[in-house]
Amino acid sequence: MAQAAPAPGGTSRPGGRPEIGERADVRARPPDVFDARTHRIAHVAVPVVLGLLYGYWVAADARQGGDITGGNLLLGWVSALVFAVVCMALLTLAPRMPREVHALLWTAFTGVAFGFLYIQTPHSVWRTVLMSLLVAGCTFATFFYRYYTREDAFGRRVR
């Protein structure tokens, strides 16, 4: 026969009805592919890598095709450091907040990061503010929807 074997914890009956004695309201949790050590390393490595990319981007925008200077390198490294530290702090603290504050924290981070990046280009301050508010508004709408549909009022994930 050319049928796949049923997955552990999955339904093997058509219609997804539970077997006799099974509870219909319990869902199997997906397997965690990585162990706790890998998650701890990723909790630091991902913000550092994103910070380095952000710092390079800020330095490249500020340089505007000119020569690489010490000030330009300093701007890139400081931007990378600040981005990575704030990102790590948000990854640690934001999930402990209510869903509205959680979304607002990520919105502020995204808006400020985008605004600082955008102001390095030769655009006006007003355009930078408007673009940052637009990006922050879209971020808030997306994150609030995500947290509102996947968390209860106390910040616990709903599965």
Side-chain angles (χ1 to χ4, degrees):
M1 291 191 190
Q3 296 176 352
T11 59
S12 60
R13 300 181 65 196
R17 292 184 302 261
E19 297 284 336
I20 297 174
E22 286 185 38
R23 291 180 47 192
D25 60 340
V26 176
R27 282 195 240 166
R29 185 173 183 208
D32 194 4
V33 178
F34 301 113
D35 62 348
R37 180 178 173 267
T38 306
H39 284 282
R40 282 192 308 273
I41 291 170
H43 190 74
V44 173
V46 170
V48 168
V49 169
L50 290 176
L52 289 172
L53 288 172
Y54 182 79
Y56 172 74
W57 199 352
V58 167
D61 277 353
R63 188 167 57 95
Q64 297 177 2
D67 294 334
I68 298 174
T69 62
N72 186 256
L73 289 173
L74 181 65
L75 176 67
W77 284 109
V78 170
S79 299
L81 178 68
V82 170
F83 186 94
V85 167
V86 173
C87 188
M88 278 188 257
L90 278 177
L91 285 173
T92 303
L93 298 176
R96 299 176 185 167
M97 303 294 170
R99 59 186 172 205
E100 296 84 4
V101 177
H102 193 171
L104 278 174
L105 287 172
W106 281 108
T107 298
F109 176 68
T110 305
V112 169
F114 179 82
F116 184 71
L117 185 64
Y118 199 77
I119 199 68
Q120 302 303 317
T121 61
H123 296 293
S124 69
V125 173
W126 291 111
R127 183 171 175 176
T128 301
V129 168
L130 290 176
M131 292 296 289
S132 296
L133 288 175
L134 179 69
V135 168
C138 292
T139 302
F140 179 74
T142 303
F143 280 16
F144 183 77
Y145 175 78
R146 182 183 186 278
Y147 299 139
Y148 193 78
T149 57
R150 289 175 173 79
E151 292 179 358
D152 64 6
F154 301 106
R156 293 184 300 257
R157 289 186 180 176
V158 178
R159 300 226 184 244

